[in-house]
Amino acid sequence: MSNAKINITNLRLRTFIGFNPEEREKQQDVVINIEIHYPASLSAQTDDVNNALNYKTVTKKVIQHVEEGRFLLLEKLVSDILEIGCEHPWVRYCQVKVDKPHALRFADSVSLTLESHLEERQ
């Protein structure tokens, strides 16, 4: 069985993230990285789009959710994106990392990573 690993790298979006007054009034940049694993034997053999996980669909859902949302905590934002990444029944593993650039004065960014192992799915 061939296992595919999709990487959506450095998806740059803007959203309301944080609980300080200025963070709740002004959108901030976030940088999103998503890794999704799924079995790809059928898509590799058939070259049929219906047998592949559509990363464009996943990305569109993430963009809509992030840009339209308001989040107090990075944990909630990352958890929501992870849930979107795991929606398709073929997904066996998903990892989401979100960076919040310039969150700390002397750091390039602060990031949070969550992952889900879904090996038991049929």
Side-chain angles (χ1 to χ4, degrees):
M1 177 195 327
S2 299
N3 288 310
K5 184 188 300 184
I6 294 173
N7 287 291
I8 301 167
T9 307
N10 295 335
L11 179 61
R12 298 173 195 280
L13 303 174
R14 294 182 63 72
T15 193
F16 292 97
I17 178 79
F19 49 84
N20 294 322
E22 64 274 5
E23 293 175 316
R24 299 188 73 175
E25 296 172 10
K26 185 178 177 187
Q27 286 189 318
Q28 297 180 66
D29 294 327
V30 291
V31 182
I32 300 166
N33 287 277
I34 305 169
E35 180 178 311
I36 299 172
H37 297 197
Y38 77 99
S41 295
L42 192 56
S43 58
Q45 291 171 0
T46 64
D47 198 28
D48 184 344
V49 68
N50 294 313
N51 295 327
L53 194 150
N54 190 332
Y55 54 83
K56 191 172 184 179
T57 302
V58 173
T59 304
K60 282 183 174 184
K61 286 182 181 182
V62 169
I63 291 169
Q64 181 178 5
H65 186 76
V66 171
E67 290 185 339
E68 293 178 2
R70 288 182 170 266
F71 309 92
L72 295 177
L73 298 174
L74 202 49
E75 288 85 346
K76 174 63 174 158
L77 173 60
V78 178
S79 177
D80 287 359
I81 296 168
L82 183 64
E83 192 173 303
I84 293 168
C86 291
E87 281 180 354
H88 197 287
W90 296 344
V91 174
R92 299 292 181 255
Y93 170 84
C94 185
Q95 181 184 73
V96 174
K97 176 183 173 191
V98 177
D99 281 88
K100 188 176 169 186
H102 317 296
L104 294 174
R105 185 173 174 196
F106 296 111
D108 292 339
S109 72
V110 171
S111 67
L112 182 84
T113 303
L114 292 174
E115 61 185 45
S116 185
H117 298 267
L118 304 156
E119 297 296 333
E120 66 278 358
R121 284 183 163 186
Q122 296 300 327

